Amino acid sequence: MSDWVPTTCMRCAVGCGHMHRAADIGYGIDTVRGDAAHPVNQGLACARGIGESRDPDGQWLTRPMVRDEGELRQTTWDVALARAVEGLREAHDRDPDSVAILGSGQQTNEAAYALGKVARGGFGTRLYDANTTLCMASAVTAYYQAFGSDAPPCMYADIDDAERHVVWGANPAVAHPVMFRWIRQGADEDGVELLTVDPIRSETAENSDHHVAPDPGKDLALARAILARLVETDRVDDEFVEEYTDGFDELLTTLPSAAAAAADAGVEMADVDLLADAMDRHALLYWGMGINQHVQGTETARALVDLTLASGNLRPGGGPFSLTGQANSMGTRICSSKGSWPGQRAFEDPNHRRTVANAWDVPVDRLPNDPGPGPVGMLEAAPDAVWTVATNPVAGMPDADSARESLEDAFLVAQDAFHTETTALADVVLPAATWGESSGTTTNMERTISRVRAATDVPSGVRPDIDIIATVGSRLFPGLFESTSPDPETVFEEFAALTEGTVADCSGITYDRLEDAHAVRWPAPDEESAGGYRYYDGGEVESWSFPTASGNAQFSTGQQGSLPEPTDEEYPLTLTTAREADGYNTGVRSRGGTAGDLVARIHPETVDAHADHVAEDRLTVTSRRGSATVRIDRDEGVPRGMVWLPIHHPATNRLTLSERDPQSKEPHFKQCAVCLVAPDIEVSPAAAD
């Protein structure tokens, strides 16, 4: 019988320790359970994490493929790599910025670091990013602006100490089941409450003590109403604000009255008072894509941070906790050189660029001096060649038909473990190892790094991500890697050394340390230290410090604006999108290779109002960009006048908007205008106004 192998679940960003046991015959994972020795989850595990690690339902890629006379055909690795290198080289020779590379929060830290090294230090392209920008960039930008560095100050340990749990624009009951169990257990204590803010009555709202439902996209107005109420009732922590923050007086000059902001948000003053009372306690304020995926995502996330600052909640047991979706979104942020150099070194700082160039032994002028236009902007730039790694932009990008056209026009290399809508479009398909077959590390949402270990060999036609990346990089840029099969531990050591002295210092973390401790939270500048609650210095007399220019946390002055596409007579309903329990990362591990029915949750009265269009319990949802036929799920938890679609289904993003937050470059997935028509009517999408 095979031995148990300790590893980390790569399903979501909670970072649960798992134990894997390989099949005794052949390859693959036979058994999965929680790891009781892992400090993050102490043996807890969700059914989704276990099931998708042991028996994913996707269509596996087992051989490289190249497109020949319009058809994808299996081939050898030598042929596939030669074709990929040739197409990427031709585009690079024309212009480094004619090559676009898109990574993923599904990679290990080591693979993410290697891909960034190839993209920035090899190609020198601005057109490089990761799919994490589609869900986390607004939170990242808000943290940088407010605190001078990225990542939540909070830790899981704070959940036990909180007196109020405010979940805003997130559904951890579905997206992070183990973490939600901790939150719900905390809220079960006497005097502790769980409040959910969401236009939809989600699974989290169903399990909450209170549910506040603002109008779609009006979260910034609600946040300002709560802050105004704290000011009006003299519940601001004046001492903290005066000594450790900047910009509060300027914010006050722009702050609407609580009543006016509540009306704008579409809520009653009783709801505002409920949330203001919550922030007057030790409150953990969690948020997710319902906040981030908005043209004002950064400003709204900043407003939530403002609430924690004004109420004195930036201390253990409280604070602003951005909930990360993908397993290694945090690692992508600190490792991959997509939005900052490793260790959160700033792109615009010439000293940091020089440090990175010296470490990689490349000319400093090869490195771009800005992080680029973001994933949507990358495809709008019409690159000649695109290389995707562990991501599915054909399904995951907003206004997906436009994204598909850009990818069809480019030479496309798709690297993945499963068949996707993107691999089906590719000129070269490179099959990669998946969870249970890969080695390295990952970083969870509370900044904790832990090991990912292979419990089984890979099929002969499959290679680990890091080997594929290093092979392509070495063939194009000799000397960039020492080996085409780099040891993940050596790559981690290179990354960690490059973070030394930075705000995201990982130089005190080693594989040997992780072997003993199982998991270590950064910053960890030496082998004895590990990160705690950020910015809070504690001591007998409380104090705080921030890596900002003034040393203080920064308030913001954002005010609610209009939606980029409001409803009108032609498109009178609002479409919103969110996660569902059995789909993640465009669902390629859970939908068996086929998408199946697209199911729309719609209030029964909204369905009744369109009864003449319903055929066999189906309708067609149409926006200005495209149409999708849906099966109806009558759900009173969805407000009248709204349509809810799962973000993972490949048809959903044919409808969504490509407008994005100007600061974070994150798209506005959460609201667009749609209408419902009969499914047997051929609808031509209306031209955008």
Side-chain angles (χ1 to χ4, degrees), residues 450-537:
S450 58
R451 285 295 312 278
V452 176
R453 294 178 175 88
T456 181
D457 293 332
V458 296
S460 59
V462 173
R463 296 186 181 181
D465 268 328
I466 195 169
D467 288 12
I468 301 171
I469 293 163
T471 299
V472 172
S474 295
R475 292 191 182 186
L476 286 164
F477 312 106
L480 196 62
F481 295 96
E482 293 183 0
S483 167
T484 57
S485 297
D487 175 26
E489 182 174 5
T490 301
V491 175
F492 185 87
E493 289 171 351
E494 180 181 321
F495 151 73
L498 197 47
T499 69
E500 185 174 2
T502 69
V503 292
D505 195 330
C506 298
S507 61
I509 303 177
T510 64
Y511 272 36
D512 286 343
R513 185 179 180 186
L514 293 175
E515 189 74 29
D516 295 334
H518 296 278
V520 178
R521 187 182 301 107
W522 64 263
D526 58 67
E527 293 199 8
E528 303 300 321
S529 65
Y533 196 103
R534 296 190 89 188
Y535 318 123
Y536 178 76
D537 299 329

